[in-house]
Amino acid sequence: MTGYSRRTKLQIERSQQMTNAIQPLEVPEFSVEYTPTKIEIHDYENLERAVQAYSHRYSDIVVTDDTESEAKDIRAKLNKLSNALDDRRKEIKKQYNEPYDAFANDIKALQATLAESINPLDTALKELTVHQRERRQKHVEELIIEMAPNYEVSPDDIEIDSKWLNKSTSKKAVTEGVAAAMKLIKAKRDKLDTDILTIEKYAKVQKVEPAGWVDQLKQGQDVEYLMKAIDNEVEQQTARKREQEAKAAEEALHQESKGNAIVDTNTGEVVSKSVTLKIVATIPQMNLLKSFMDSNGIKYMRVGA
């Protein structure tokens, strides 16, 4: 490797090592000597006849209070025969499995040797995947911060789509996805601003306080529904006002003024009183107060400036 720097030589050597490391790996050809084992019960017919005879002998036993003890004894003896057969089966199975168990242990030992290399690689690859995803996350966050001013949105308004963090998603696709999300948020915000202006103007025309209706709009209610609701509210206020005026007119027939109070001539009860208040409030608060007094038939007038 004449003509290369020491650093370049090391890089070439590492590259060659990695190239060798990723060459196809094959298990060396090996054979397994395996002779299928035949399991045969000698004199099976005689054993079968004996078992059938025992079974038939006691198949018609009638169990009563008088034969309970005998029945239990017979059952115990038959169970003993059945258990003896099963014990013999287990013994043969153990002997039958011994060659396979030895073979399986040999294979597992070889796999354990490979696992010494597989496990660290698996752990390292998982850690690398996490780091790569974190880098992609950081890239997306920086991209959002960079693009947000162009769409007049706040970076905090953008929820990162998990697809943007996938290794298979190209940077172009991520950029397009972020742009689409920002356009959607901008469109929704612009629509909300327009709808708020519409409701505020409509509420002003109907002489109602818009704040509560605007809050409903921000919570997702649509403009058409709110305009109908405002109409309904105005109708109810008008109806209440008429009822109050009619009631007041009727009551006025037997009321008289005494000083700053109005007294019911039938009962002597003070039914209303005139007071002067100095109220300090913001304009929105004052509008709310006015709306409340109007809807409840409270009379008022401006005094002074």
Side-chain angles (χ1 to χ4, degrees):
M1 294 186 183
T2 57
Y4 292 110
S5 66
R6 177 176 176 78
R7 182 176 181 180
T8 302
K9 289 179 180 179
L10 289 174
Q11 290 175 337
I12 293 174
E13 289 175 358
R14 288 174 182 169
S15 177
Q16 290 175 341
Q17 290 173 356
M18 287 298 295
T19 301
N20 293 333
I22 60 176
Q23 292 296 323
L25 302 180
E26 296 180 359
V27 175
E29 190 68 31
F30 71 99
S31 61
V32 177
E33 183 178 347
Y34 169 63
T35 303
T37 302
K38 180 180 179 181
I39 300 178
E40 181 179 357
I41 300 177
H42 296 297
D43 202 11
Y44 177 78
E45 292 78 8
N46 184 46
L47 176 61
E48 183 180 29
R49 283 195 299 271
V51 169
Q52 289 177 348
Y54 293 142
S55 179
H56 292 162
R57 182 186 305 173
Y58 302 110
S59 61
D60 296 327
I61 293 293
V62 178
V63 179
T64 65
D65 291 339
D66 295 334
T67 63
E68 179 183 5
S69 177
E70 181 183 1
K72 288 182 177 179
D73 182 59
I74 293 171
R75 182 184 63 181
K77 291 178 178 178
L78 290 174
N79 280 333
K80 184 176 180 181
L81 290 175
S82 179
N83 291 336
L85 290 171
D86 198 49
D87 289 343
R88 185 59 173 153
R89 177 191 64 79
K90 292 177 181 178
E91 179 184 351
I92 296 301
K93 180 181 178 181
K94 181 179 179 182
Q95 296 174 7
Y96 180 84
N97 285 342
E98 284 178 357
Y100 171 77
D101 291 341
F103 166 75
N105 289 335
D106 289 341
I107 295 298
K108 289 178 181 178
L110 296 173
Q111 289 179 308
T113 300
L114 292 175
E116 293 176 0
S117 296
I118 293 173
N119 292 339
L121 283 172
D122 186 52
T123 300
L125 287 170
K126 288 179 180 177
E127 291 176 352
L128 179 61
T129 298
V130 172
H131 293 326
Q132 289 175 339
R133 192 172 182 85
E134 289 174 348
R135 289 199 298 269
R136 289 193 292 271
Q137 170 98 16
K138 184 178 180 182
H139 167 72
V140 171
E141 291 172 351
E142 292 173 348
L143 182 64
I144 289 173
I145 293 173
E146 178 185 345
M147 294 175 61
N150 299 330
Y151 293 88
E152 299 178 4
V153 298
S154 169
D156 296 335
D157 294 335
I158 306 301
E159 183 177 351
I160 294 179
D161 190 327
S162 60
K163 292 186 295 186
W164 300 345
L165 305 181
N166 291 340
K167 192 173 184 178
S168 58
T169 305
S170 66
K171 291 184 178 180
K172 179 182 178 183
V174 172
T175 302
E176 291 174 349
V178 172
M182 290 183 174
K183 288 178 181 178
L184 181 61
I185 290 176
K186 177 69 163 54
K188 287 182 178 179
R189 192 187 65 191
D190 290 346
K191 183 179 184 303
L192 178 61
D193 290 342
T194 301
D195 291 346
I196 288 175
L197 185 60
T198 300
I199 289 297
E200 288 178 340
K201 288 182 177 179
Y202 193 73
K204 184 177 181 180
V205 171
Q206 297 292 359
K207 298 180 180 180
V208 297
E209 172 57 37
W213 305 106
V214 170
D215 285 341
Q216 292 187 52
L217 191 63
K218 291 179 179 179
Q219 292 170 11
Q221 197 57 265
D222 62 89
V223 173
E224 184 178 354
Y225 172 86
L226 291 176
M227 292 176 73
K228 290 180 180 178
I230 290 174
D231 291 341
N232 185 52
E233 177 66 22
V234 170
E235 289 176 3
Q236 291 180 5
Q237 288 182 5
T238 302
R240 286 195 298 268
K241 185 176 181 181
R242 288 173 181 170
E243 290 177 2
Q244 291 168 353
E245 289 175 347
K247 182 179 179 181
E250 181 183 354
E251 292 174 345
L253 296 175
H254 49 84
Q255 293 175 352
E256 63 179 6
S257 297
K258 290 186 178 182
N260 64 345
I262 297 177
V263 180
D264 189 312
T265 56
N266 293 334
T267 63
E269 178 186 2
V270 176
V271 295
S272 67
K273 193 172 184 179
S274 175
V275 295
T276 300
L277 300 175
K278 181 178 180 180
I279 299 174
V280 179
T282 63
I283 292 178
Q285 290 173 333
M286 195 67 74
N287 289 334
L288 283 172
L289 178 60
K290 178 180 181 300
S291 177
F292 173 80
M293 291 189 293
D294 288 341
S295 62
N296 287 275
I298 300 174
K299 296 180 180 179
Y300 57 91
M301 66 180 66
R302 182 186 294 272
V303 178

